[in-house]
Amino acid sequence: MATISDVARAAGVSPATVSRVLNGGRVSPERAERVRRVASELGFSPNRVARSLRTQQASVIGLLIPDIENPFFTALARGVEDASRRTHLSVVLCNTDEDVEKEARYLDVALAEQMAGVIVAAASPRRSDFSALDARGTPVVAVDRRPGAATVDAVMVDDQRGGDEATAHLLDRGYRRVACVTGPADTAASEERLAGHRAAMRAAGTPDAWIRAHTRHADLRVEGGRTAMAELLTLPEPPDAVLVTHDLLTVGALEALRTAGVEPPAFGVLSFGDVPWASLVRPPLTTVRLPSYDLGVAAATLLQERIAGSTGPRRTVTLRPDLHPRASTSGPTPG
């Protein structure tokens, strides 16, 4: 019995793209035709999932995210909701605040309410525990963050590649002393983006000691970015550019730069997360666009398939980020 993931693999597209095609979303005509042809060849019927879900006693799923105020997770939640609505599932949104104990209480609620499944961006890669759900047979899909001890389906972004390409872009534009402001060390996305940054800096011949000295971990809040950027500017050899791995940290970093009288593009600024205001600030901000909405769609699709009875090995879907160059990284010397 073919699944959306089978169709995506055979058509050379993401599960989110397959879902958009089958539900009338915007996709190029050539790609849409290829997806429909492959779906027909594999005998895949999108209505099968909806019919199977309607036979389930539970029609509610849980979505656990760390911070609803973060635009990345807001878009992800919208993707989950849109995809779930098509198969008559309701979504209960839970904000964990990066708190493992709070996350555990919400997981207990999911069990008590016999939810059909759970999508979760883990509060901690080492301490988040989904074993009770697994023992009950409740499907779980990890999104954006993979809990290390759990064996579950997952939808991830290739964060390391994004960090590598972002830093390489800054180096290609003529910046040489590229610092990095990233999130907490126990957050997988933060560490993977930092790993990509380090790889690009090492490839450019930068000593590891310099890279370490010009790296700051911060809480994923505006104040965290502001404090980290202010510290970097006071170093004996301050950076001439910065990669900021989360959009709320970028807001704080930009505030610290403005307070210090430092302006892009003389000082390069590149941010993960293509927030709506990225093209409105002056100069417009170069970003790594994260496919947050598509992450939500793909996670909901995997969960729906498990709820409908799909078996087999746990799967991981990996989506690529896209670099969007703008004027904030046009080079250290104007023109």
Side-chain angles (χ1 to χ4, degrees):
M1 184 168 58
T3 68
I4 283 181
S5 295
D6 296 329
V7 175
R9 187 163 45 251
V13 298
S14 71
T17 297
V18 175
S19 181
R20 283 198 299 271
V21 171
L22 298 177
N23 289 284
R26 288 184 295 177
V27 179
S28 70
E30 182 275 331
R31 183 170 294 182
E33 173 59 29
R34 184 166 75 250
V35 168
R36 292 192 186 98
R37 175 174 51 79
V38 169
S40 177
E41 291 172 353
L42 295 178
F44 175 79
S45 171
N47 292 329
R48 174 184 57 78
V49 175
R51 284 197 304 270
S52 297
L53 286 170
R54 284 196 292 269
T55 67
Q56 300 294 313
Q57 188 173 18
S59 60
V60 176
I61 65 171
L63 172 60
L64 279 61
I65 58 176
D67 184 6
I68 190 58
E69 293 183 350
N70 187 322
F72 171 82
F73 290 112
T74 304
L76 187 153
R78 183 57 185 265
V80 170
E81 182 187 22
D82 286 352
S84 299
R85 187 176 64 247
R86 296 168 190 146
T87 49
H88 308 285
L89 280 172
S90 298
V91 181
V92 174
L93 178 63
C94 307
N95 194 73
T96 66
D97 291 317
E98 309 278 3
D99 185 332
V100 175
E101 292 184 2
K102 188 175 182 181
E103 177 184 77
R105 289 196 297 272
Y106 281 132
L107 294 175
D108 287 343
V109 171
L111 286 169
E113 297 297 326
Q114 297 184 331
M115 290 185 182
V118 174
I119 296 171
V120 55
S124 169
R126 288 183 288 274
R127 295 186 294 128
S128 292
D129 184 3
F130 307 147
S131 59
L133 292 168
D134 187 55
R136 177 76 66 85
T138 303
V140 178
V141 175
V143 62
D144 183 54
R145 304 172 176 188
R146 186 195 305 278
T151 303
V152 296
D153 292 312
V155 183
M156 301 290 150
V157 176
D158 192 345
D159 285 304
Q160 183 164 339
R161 180 172 186 162
D164 190 323
E165 292 180 351
T167 300
H169 168 80
L170 287 164
L171 295 169
D172 289 344
R173 291 300 175 94
Y175 303 102
R176 290 293 171 262
R177 302 186 308 279
V178 182
C180 182
V181 174
T182 191
D186 64 349
T187 302
S190 300
E191 285 300 283
E192 289 174 12
R193 294 168 192 175
L194 175 59
H197 165 75
R198 286 172 172 164
M201 293 298 286
R202 288 168 181 156
T206 307
D208 282 350
W210 192 97
I211 298 171
R212 287 194 300 271
H214 290 76
T215 296
R216 292 292 182 276
H217 289 86
D219 290 336
L220 297 179
R221 299 289 188 272
V222 172
E223 180 58 34
R226 184 187 301 118
T227 300
M229 190 71 253
E231 290 177 0
L232 289 168
L233 292 175
T234 64
L235 291 174
E237 186 181 9
D240 62 2
V242 65
L243 168 64
V244 189
T245 66
H246 297 78
D247 42 27
L248 290 180
L249 294 179
T250 301
V251 175
L254 289 171
E255 290 179 357
L257 289 171
R258 179 162 297 180
T259 298
V262 178
E263 296 287 342
F267 186 101
V269 179
L270 197 158
S271 173
F272 267 75
D274 198 14
V275 292
W277 47 263
S279 61
L280 302 178
V281 298
R282 291 293 177 266
L285 186 65
T286 295
T287 59
V288 176
R289 190 188 76 83
L290 297 170
S292 48
Y293 179 88
D294 287 347
L295 280 171
V297 171
T301 299
L302 281 178
L303 189 67
Q304 290 161 12
E305 292 179 358
R306 292 298 187 189
I307 293 170
S310 175
T311 59
R314 302 302 182 186
R315 292 166 291 170
T316 296
V317 175
T318 303
L319 305 184
R320 281 190 59 180
D322 297 315
L323 182 68
H324 285 232
R326 298 187 180 94
S328 71
T329 58
S330 58
T333 303

